[in-house]
Amino acid sequence: MAGGSGTRLWPVSRAGQPKQLVPFIQQPKGPPVSLLQIAAGRLDGLVPEANQTICTGEAYGDQIEAALPQFRGDRLLGEPCPRDTVNAVGFAAAVFAKRDPDAVFAVLTADHIIEPQESFAKAMDAGFALAEADPTRMVSFGIIPDHPATGFGYIENAGPIDGDPSGLGFEIARFVEKPPLDKAKEYLESGKFSWNAGMFVFHAQTFLERLEAHQPESFAGLKKLQDAWDTPLQNATLAEVYPTLPKISVDYAIMEPCGADPAVKLTGVKMDVQWLDVGSWPSYGETIAPDATGNRAAGGPIAVYDSSGNVVVSDDPERTIALVGCDDLVVVHTARATLVMPKDRAQDLKKLHAELPDELK
């Protein structure tokens, strides 16, 4: 899934080039790359290239083909407008199930940094195996937590799965959305909870059946789209139907109600990785090595005096950004806008973005 708007990474992420397409992730060698390029590379050796598909806004198709030319034609599913994640997943499921009634597919996102690759691949293989062996299993991946984060959802482990050769699978007791700090500490200490990574493996037909049960309006629209897919009516039906689908996330629309759904088994897979959801400037800063005083800079030079813990980003390699007596700020300079804010107010950037005139978004 690569259809997000990335408003909390403004002004680098903009309406015409959202965060997943911006080449701003520094590499040890070579030029910076985009989050989507990193995500696509993560699938090498895991899923055959011909079976890899990107679901994104149709307006971004040309940019994606320029950066990742292997994704074109029927390997690129273009949404006419954003309708949240349940419809992005349902769109893919409808297309895959029409082409192969036994299709099993992974749902991954384009804004994660995940290391090491070997642990990611091992967990994904386990997830595919569980869903292929039992199509009623709806698989979520749980990141083993290393601190009591309050910005992530949690998955409670109800015990291992008998006969799972990977040893990574577990039955899910419940999903918990972003808990307060005291609860997050309790979950970490219990050893029974993992972070909900927002990655899944589904049997495509099973997903559509549960969509029909729990989100019938979305299912009805996507069924029309499925019937028209790979026919001359495909594009017209997509343009007509997709904007009418109700906006809701896959977590709220499917995963939560499926917790009490006897037709499916909610299943977790442990993923022992370093996982970074690059959704804000402080999290982006974690991708940059700090200097001796904890300042992290990308894109251009900085000069600092009595300043620490800052994240400084520029799109001008010739412009020096100087800080005196500044701690824990985010400073982002582009040709069209400059942002300055405390790191602990990063979530409020979304509110500012909502008030900006369209020409600045």
Side-chain angles (χ1 to χ4, degrees), residues 34-339:
S34 71
L35 288 163
L36 182 56
Q37 288 173 304
I38 292 172
R42 196 176 295 132
L43 299 182
D44 289 348
L46 179 64
V47 177
E49 187 174 285
N51 291 354
Q52 300 173 17
T53 303
I54 293 175
C55 183
T56 187
E58 62 183 10
Y60 306 137
D62 290 344
Q63 291 183 62
I64 290 175
E65 288 189 18
L68 295 162
Q70 70 270 34
F71 289 94
R72 61 178 67 243
D74 62 2
R75 294 186 56 204
L76 199 59
L77 300 179
E79 299 175 288
C81 57
R83 303 308 294 170
D84 218 322
T85 54
V86 78
N87 295 303
V89 177
F91 182 8
V95 172
F96 299 155
K98 181 169 187 178
R99 293 174 175 168
D100 178 2
D102 293 321
V104 173
F105 70 107
V107 179
L108 308 174
T109 66
D111 52 4
H112 293 170
I113 304 291
I114 302 173
E115 295 177 339
Q117 172 68 16
E118 294 77 11
S119 296
F120 168 80
K122 183 178 179 181
M124 292 302 304
D125 280 336
F128 271 110
L130 287 164
E132 288 164 354
D134 184 348
T136 68
R137 289 200 177 277
M138 304 182 76
V139 178
S140 296
F141 293 88
I143 307 295
I144 298 174
D146 58 10
H147 67 279
T150 59
F152 303 140
Y154 285 72
I155 303 170
E156 185 176 5
N157 186 329
I161 295 172
D162 292 338
D164 171 26
S166 74
L168 299 176
F170 60 91
E171 305 290 353
I172 292 177
R174 59 174 170 148
F175 291 90
V176 181
E177 276 303 304
K178 301 175 182 177
L181 182 59
D182 59 335
K183 282 292 183 183
K185 290 179 178 178
E186 180 182 318
Y187 295 161
L188 182 66
E189 291 169 0
S190 74
K192 295 181 179 180
F193 288 81
S194 53
W195 291 332
N196 183 2
M199 298 183 283
F200 309 96
V201 172
F202 299 124
H203 188 283
Q205 189 58 45
T206 298
F207 184 87
L208 292 172
E209 291 168 359
R210 300 343 295 156
L211 189 66
E212 182 178 19
H214 300 295
Q215 297 295 323
E217 189 175 347
S218 280
F219 173 80
L222 291 169
K223 183 64 170 66
K224 292 179 184 177
L225 182 56
Q226 184 186 54
D227 291 341
W229 206 255
D230 293 330
T231 78
L233 297 176
Q234 171 181 307
N235 292 339
T237 305
L238 177 62
E240 176 188 354
V241 168
Y242 209 80
T244 70
L245 302 177
K247 293 181 73 171
I248 185 170
S249 75
V250 69
D251 293 291
Y252 287 119
I254 296 295
M255 303 313 291
E256 282 195 4
C258 279
D261 187 338
V264 293
K265 301 169 186 170
L266 293 186
T267 302
V269 172
K270 299 174 186 176
M271 188 177 281
D272 189 7
V273 295
Q274 293 178 311
W275 174 67
L276 182 63
D277 181 353
V278 187
S280 66
W281 283 117
S283 63
Y284 171 79
E286 294 299 310
T287 71
I288 307 167
D291 65 13
T293 54
N295 295 300
R296 301 170 188 262
I302 63 171
V304 298
Y305 177 79
D306 190 27
S307 299
S308 65
N310 300 289
V311 176
V312 183
V313 181
S314 175
D315 67 357
D316 185 351
E318 303 299 322
R319 179 182 294 271
T320 297
I321 295 178
L323 303 178
V324 177
C326 297
D327 297 323
D328 299 318
L329 292 182
V330 170
V331 180
V332 182
H333 173 76
T334 73
R336 297 183 63 187
T338 300
L339 167 72

